Amino acid sequence: MADNKKVEWRIKMANGSSEKAGQACMWGVISALAFKVCNFLKKAWELGVNDPRKFIHCLKVGIALTTVSLVYYMKPLYDGFGGNAIWAVITVVVVFEYTAGATICKSINRICGTSLAGLLGIGVHWVASRAGKQFEPFIVGVSVFLLASAATFSRFIPTIKARFDYGAVIFILTFSLVSVSGYRIDKLLDLAQERLSTVIIGTILCIIVSMSIRPIWAGQELHVLTTGNLDKLANSLQGCVAQYFSSSEAQETVCDEVCDKKLLGYKCILSSKASEDSMANFARWEPAHGHFNFRHPWRQYLKIGASMRTCASVIDALIGCINSENKVTNDVKNHISNISLKVGANSAGVIRELVNTIRNMKKSSEVGVLVAEMNSAAQELQDVLKSYPNLVNTPPSHNDQGTETEQASSSSGEELAPKIEISLMDVIQVGTVASLLIEIVARVEHIVSTVEELSELAEFEPVMCIKSKQNIEDNNKSFLNEQKDDEDMKTLQIV
């Protein structure tokens, strides 16, 4: 009897409390979702405010799509193109890019790829139809295999991949569609003509809208990117040298985010190769605009970027040496402090002069003088390293101390110069920093040569007004004053 009894556990909850709990849970989900939506809209608004060109680009895409949709909505146009009118809309979606150069590049690639594939598809269809129904599928299949394989292999060729990769993809797609459709469709020529016409309409509309409404030029973007990277390189170089040879102890305990952002600006240069390559490729498709001619030497900007990256890699090694766990005292650094600061300031001054040269597109008459001063400071730093005193002294033993005392007492009253006992690791670190600074000077000279080559190829105008040397020194002093103000603020924060 005891086994047949079942124990039941029942939990009773009032209907009102369960409904309130469900409502509270629902309102919690809704409030969390609303908070995320508001946060997303806030970030989107900040993105549009920081760069209004992105918002304008969205409007341009909407205008192009709305205009090309008339081909599909208006009956006379639809009757002329048929169901292929939708290809005009698809063309606008896939072709319209952020910059005018990218839009022109994809538009020309799409037109050329569609035209070439359409002609070859019609030719293959004509040959296959003359061979008979039995051999037609084999001829079409073999042609698709051969041409698709060849076009796919061409995408691995660097020259074609850089400029005609999208055209190769469109060629494969269009040729496959035309060849396969021709087996079931009788009026293949009309189909190819309508599809090519809609593609041309879509691409021309994209080019007109992109170039007529607040155009964004890829060449201008590359120009601004290059000058910005040069400016970041100068700030990182002068900032890290000033930070290493600064005697302020507050620098080791307080981290200024603004100062660190300037010091780490060189990392943007190390990761900008892909952006520079794409911008230079798209800029070559653009017509003459602003100060840039049709055949502006955009490839030279890639050489400048490569020389900047070599210099930035040395700065990366310099910062790695500076931030090592083996800290060196100020007494060791004082021997090369002044001359190292001079080398860093002169190198940064040369780079900033190159920024003005590229930004204003005018030859500078001060670069030669600044490079000579930079090389003179580097040579002086080399001389200091060659005549560096023997600071690596082992602590003397007791017997040695007694001997040294006797020798000192037996001298003719002359006092011995005090020697600083420094470990070998400290001397190696300071010597490494100095040698890296000398290497940076050589890398900066290479940047100067590439910029001068750009000024010759682009035919920069000579500067009418020669900038005085005092202005350059004032720029360097202002940068050092900013560093000093940052150190004072850090000291106040510690106190």
Side-chain angles (χ1 to χ4, degrees):
M1 295 296 293
D3 296 337
N4 294 331
K5 291 182 179 180
K6 296 181 179 180
V7 179
E8 295 183 358
W9 296 87
R10 295 182 180 179
I11 301 175
K12 295 183 179 181
M13 182 179 292
N15 294 331
S17 60
S18 61
E19 291 179 358
K20 290 181 180 179
Q23 291 178 357
C25 181
M26 182 181 65
W27 282 111
V29 173
I30 293 174
S31 61
L33 181 61
F35 176 76
K36 291 182 179 180
V37 171
C38 293
N39 192 19
F40 173 77
L41 294 176
K42 182 180 178 181
K43 291 181 179 179
W45 176 260
E46 292 176 354
L47 180 64
V49 171
N50 294 333
D51 193 357
R53 297 180 303 173
K54 296 179 180 179
F55 180 73
I56 296 174
H57 173 69
C58 299
L59 297 179
K60 289 161 65 175
V61 174
I63 292 172
L65 282 175
T66 304
T67 305
V68 80
S69 299
L70 298 177
V71 179
Y72 201 80
Y73 292 146
M74 298 178 67
K75 185 172 176 54
L77 295 176
Y78 181 80
D79 293 337
F81 296 106
N84 290 315
I86 195 64
W87 282 96
V89 180
I90 297 175
T91 299
V92 172
V93 173
V94 298
V95 164
F96 209 115
E97 293 291 337
Y98 181 68
T99 61
T103 303
I104 296 172
C105 176
K106 295 190 73 172
S107 299
I108 295 177
N109 271 267
R110 190 171 182 85
I111 293 175
C112 294
T114 302
S115 303
L116 182 60
L119 292 175
L120 289 177
I122 293 173
V124 170
H125 173 70
W126 183 83
V127 173
S129 62
R130 295 297 184 272
K133 291 292 183 181
Q134 294 180 351
F135 296 99
E136 183 176 359
F138 296 100
I139 295 176
V140 173
V142 171
S143 63
V144 170
F145 171 76
L146 293 177
L147 291 176
S149 301
T152 303
F153 180 79
S154 67
R155 298 181 62 193
F156 294 103
I157 302 175
T159 304
I160 296 178
K161 183 175 180 59
R163 306 192 67 177
F164 305 105
D165 184 71
Y166 182 70
V169 174
I170 295 300
F171 174 83
I172 297 171
L173 174 63
T174 305
F175 180 78
S176 302
L177 291 176
V178 172
S179 300
V180 175
S181 300
Y183 185 73
R184 298 294 182 183
I185 298 176
D186 296 331
K187 297 181 179 180
L188 182 61
L189 183 61
D190 296 337
L191 174 65
Q193 182 180 358
E194 292 174 356
R195 187 163 297 177
L196 179 60
S197 300
T198 53
V199 169
I200 292 175
I201 291 174
T203 52
I204 291 177
L205 181 61
C206 289
I207 294 174
I208 292 174
V209 174
S210 178
M211 295 179 59
S212 59
I213 304 175
R214 296 291 298 273
I216 302 172
W217 304 106
Q220 182 67 30
E221 294 292 311
L222 178 61
H223 188 82
V224 173
L225 177 64
T226 303
T227 55
N229 285 342
L230 278 172
D231 199 14
K232 293 176 182 178
L233 188 68
N235 292 334
S236 298
L237 172 58
Q238 190 170 5
C240 70
V241 175
Q243 183 185 32
Y244 180 70
F245 290 100
S246 175
S247 60
S248 176
E249 297 180 354
Q251 202 165 14
E252 301 178 359
T253 55
V254 179
C255 180
D256 189 4
E257 295 181 358
V258 178
C259 183
D260 288 344
K261 188 175 181 181
K262 290 182 179 180
L263 294 180
L264 299 178
Y266 73 94
K267 290 189 175 180
C268 298
I269 303 171
L270 296 174
S271 59
S272 64
K273 185 179 185 303
S275 300
E276 292 174 357
D277 291 340
S278 62
M279 289 180 185
N281 178 33
F282 296 144
R284 282 179 284 180
W285 294 91
E286 294 176 346
H289 57 278
H291 298 286
F292 308 105
N293 298 324
F294 179 71
R295 298 187 62 84
H296 191 76
W298 300 113
R299 290 179 179 271
Q300 190 63 28
Y301 286 87
L302 300 180
K303 294 182 180 180
I304 296 174
S307 60
M308 281 193 295
R309 277 186 289 276
T310 58
C311 185
S313 62
V314 181
I315 294 177
D316 188 32
L318 177 62
I319 292 180
C321 182
I322 289 173
N323 295 331
S324 63
E325 296 182 357
N326 182 24
K327 301 299 180 182
V328 181
T329 60
N330 293 326
D331 294 334
V332 180
K333 295 187 289 187
N334 287 336
H335 290 275
I336 61 171
S337 175
N338 294 331
I339 184 59
S340 297
L341 289 173
K342 185 179 179 181
V343 171
N346 290 344
S347 302
V350 172
I351 298 175
R352 292 192 179 98
E353 186 64 23
L354 297 179
V355 172
N356 295 329
T357 300
I358 300 177
R359 183 174 295 160
N360 301 325
M361 300 188 71
K362 293 183 179 180
K363 295 180 181 179
S364 174
S365 59
E366 295 292 329
V367 173
V369 177
L370 293 176
V371 171
E373 293 179 355
M374 179 184 67
N375 290 331
S376 176
Q379 184 62 41
E380 187 177 351
L381 179 59
Q382 285 183 341
D383 296 338
V384 171
L385 288 180
K386 291 178 182 179
S387 61
Y388 203 77
N390 186 13
L391 298 176
V392 185
N393 296 330
T394 56
S397 61
H398 296 288
N399 296 331
D400 295 337
Q401 289 179 356
T403 305
E404 290 178 358
T405 305
E406 293 176 358
Q407 292 177 355
S409 61
S410 63
S411 60
S412 59
E414 295 181 356
E415 296 182 358
L416 294 175
K419 291 185 178 181
I420 305 173
E421 296 178 1
I422 304 172
S423 65
L424 179 62
M425 295 301 297
D426 294 343
V427 178
I428 289 176
Q429 188 190 63
V430 175
T432 303
V433 171
S435 62
L436 288 175
L437 285 175
I438 296 172
E439 180 64 22
I440 287 174
V441 170
R443 303 296 174 92
V444 172
E445 280 189 300
H446 188 262
I447 298 175
V448 172
S449 63
T450 55
V451 173
E452 289 180 349
E453 186 178 354
L454 173 65
S455 64
E456 294 295 333
L457 295 175
E459 298 179 355
F460 286 178
E461 298 179 359
V463 178
M464 301 301 295
C465 179
I466 300 177
K467 182 166 56 175
S468 63
K469 179 181 176 181
Q470 185 65 30
N471 293 334
I472 301 174
E473 294 178 354
D474 292 340
N475 292 333
N476 293 332
K477 289 180 180 179
S478 63
F479 183 86
L480 294 176
N481 291 332
E482 291 180 0
Q483 293 287 334
K484 186 176 180 181
D485 294 339
D486 293 338
E487 293 175 3
D488 294 340
M489 291 298 295
K490 293 174 183 178
T491 306
L492 291 175
Q493 290 178 4
I494 292 178
V495 174

